Amino acid sequence: MEVKLASSYGFCFGVKRAIDIAQKYENSATMGPLIHNKNEIDRLQNDYKVGLYRDLNEVKPNDTVIIRTHGIPKQDLKDLRAKDAKVINATCPFVTTPQQIVKKMSQEGYSILIFGDSEHPEVKGVKSYGEDLEDVHVILEKSELDNLNFKHDKIATVAQTTRKKEIYLDIVNSLILKNKEVRVFNTICDATFENQDAARDLSKEVDVMIIIGGKNSSNTKQLHTISLENCSDSYLIENETELDSSWFDNKKLCGITAGASTPDWIIQQVVDKIKKY
Ligand code: F3S
């Protein structure tokens, strides 16, 4: 089987940075999973003794606590500091930006609209920076705009870093027609789109497409969706053990891409195995 890698794939800047930070603090632990990739988290645990807190109550004074790439809610950060833990912040700077925008704009009297998944840790963290949580609204679809009651007639919007720009634009267009003032901040991260554009191009020219990444990672799932648009034989796997040889029957060229949290060593294992089919 011939294999072709996407022109852009895998780790983004924020994830590389978080892993570098974690590797510097052996015997530390992270607040929530550091990144959305179980294999890499296991490697950090085995090689660097980086543990994982399930709950804030597990943190003891003088513990070294690493904040994950997606950030944590403001109150959790305060509670950690109050416990006299040593807090190391590995939040991606592109996630810190919307947190700070939400804080500043709500202090200036704007209602806040976040385009994103209200259950995602990044969005929960960003939302927590609003001054009045009842006036921080989270939506995934334009149609949800009709159900919102903004307290102010000026609105500031940010987007979850991994969302699609086209949908954000659509929401913002609709918003400006119904409100006097809308401040739009483009907080979508380009790293995701470089991988997405490359996956789109590659999926048009291959017979089968393999997307490697965490099954709970939203940017990996989006790579899968995009690939499926052009290549119906597109499969999402976490590592090489999930490959099924029947996917490659009568196929010549296999395209490979990987989510922003997928380490190179996992990608290499997948490539090596596919080449043998
Ligand atoms: Fe940061 Fe963008 Fe990665 S927000 S964690 S650089 S996908």
Side-chain angles (χ1 to χ4, degrees):
M1 176 66 54
E2 198 187 330
V3 167
K4 186 169 179 184
L5 286 158
S7 58
S8 171
Y9 63 89
F11 273 179
C12 59
F13 148 82
V15 166
K16 278 188 194 143
R17 179 176 168 275
I19 290 169
D20 283 349
I21 291 173
Q23 290 181 169
K24 277 191 201 129
Y25 292 93
E26 282 200 27
N27 298 313
S28 62
T30 62
M31 201 67 229
L34 184 68
I35 58 172
H36 273 160
N37 187 288
K38 196 181 166 300
N39 295 286
E40 183 67 358
I41 287 171
D42 289 348
R43 189 189 68 88
L44 287 170
Q45 170 115 55
N46 292 333
D47 297 357
Y48 294 88
K49 308 282 170 281
V50 176
L52 173 70
Y53 296 110
R54 309 245 162 236
D55 192 286
L56 209 65
N57 295 324
E58 293 174 17
V59 179
K60 296 182 291 301
N62 299 321
D63 278 3
T64 301
V65 184
I66 302 177
I67 311 288
R68 63 182 172 210
T69 42
H70 294 112
I72 59 173
K74 187 172 83 172
Q75 192 57 45
D76 288 0
L77 193 58
K78 266 192 193 157
D79 292 348
L80 270 181
R81 296 221 156 99
K83 280 175 174 274
D84 286 331
K86 183 176 175 192
V87 179
I88 310 294
N89 200 348
T91 307
C92 175
F94 296 136
V95 173
T96 310
T97 301
Q99 291 176 345
Q100 295 311 313
I101 291 170
V102 166
K103 181 175 173 193
K104 180 167 179 285
M105 298 314 287
S106 58
Q107 280 170 348
E108 288 182 19
Y110 283 76
S111 295
I112 305 292
L113 179 69
I114 302 172
F115 165 43
D117 174 359
S118 59
E119 292 304 312
H120 193 284
E122 175 192 326
V123 174
K124 284 184 181 169
V126 169
K127 181 177 176 180
S128 72
Y129 281 81
E131 290 286 298
D132 174 2
L133 291 184
E134 283 179 8
D135 203 23
V136 182
H137 311 267
V138 184
I139 63 167
L140 261 179
E141 316 261 349
K142 186 172 74 173
S143 59
E144 293 172 69
L145 279 176
D146 300 336
N147 310 326
L148 304 181
N149 283 317
F150 294 114
K151 289 191 181 174
H152 303 280
D153 58 1
K154 46 185 198 172
I155 295 153
T157 74
V158 295
Q160 186 180 349
T161 50
T162 47
R163 289 285 140 196
K164 280 194 178 145
K165 281 180 183 164
E166 295 81 3
I167 304 178
Y168 189 38
L169 266 181
D170 204 24
I171 289 171
V172 163
N173 274 338
S174 190
L175 201 62
I176 190 67
L177 293 176
K178 292 185 198 130
N179 295 278
K180 288 276 168 263
E181 183 184 340
V182 178
R183 295 278 307 269
V184 180
F185 295 87
N186 179 5
T187 49
I188 294 174
C189 170
D190 284 333
T192 314
F193 292 97
E194 283 159 16
N195 285 2
Q196 288 182 2
D197 290 345
R200 187 172 292 110
D201 290 347
L202 185 59
S203 60
K204 286 178 188 159
E205 59 170 293
V206 298
D207 307 311
V208 51
M209 193 72 192
I210 301 296
I211 298 94
I212 314 161
K215 296 215 166 91
N216 56 353
S217 149
S218 80
N219 81 78
T220 303
K221 282 190 274 187
Q222 283 191 21
L223 289 176
H224 189 206
T225 307
I226 287 170
S227 299
L228 278 170
E229 285 166 13
N230 303 306
C231 176
S232 55
D233 289 310
S234 295
Y235 303 97
L236 170 53
I237 59 168
E238 294 206 348
N239 55 51
E240 95 285 357
T241 63
E242 294 177 22
L243 284 168
D244 180 336
S245 61
S246 68
W247 298 341
F248 305 92
D249 287 347
N250 305 317
K251 306 277 194 309
K252 277 191 182 138
L253 181 59
C254 171
I256 294 194
T257 185
S261 305
T262 310
D264 282 344
W265 58 271
I266 291 185
I267 299 168
Q268 197 52 51
Q269 285 173 346
V270 172
V271 170
D272 291 346
K273 190 161 177 186
I274 293 175
K275 277 185 176 165
K276 288 187 193 136
Y277 286 132

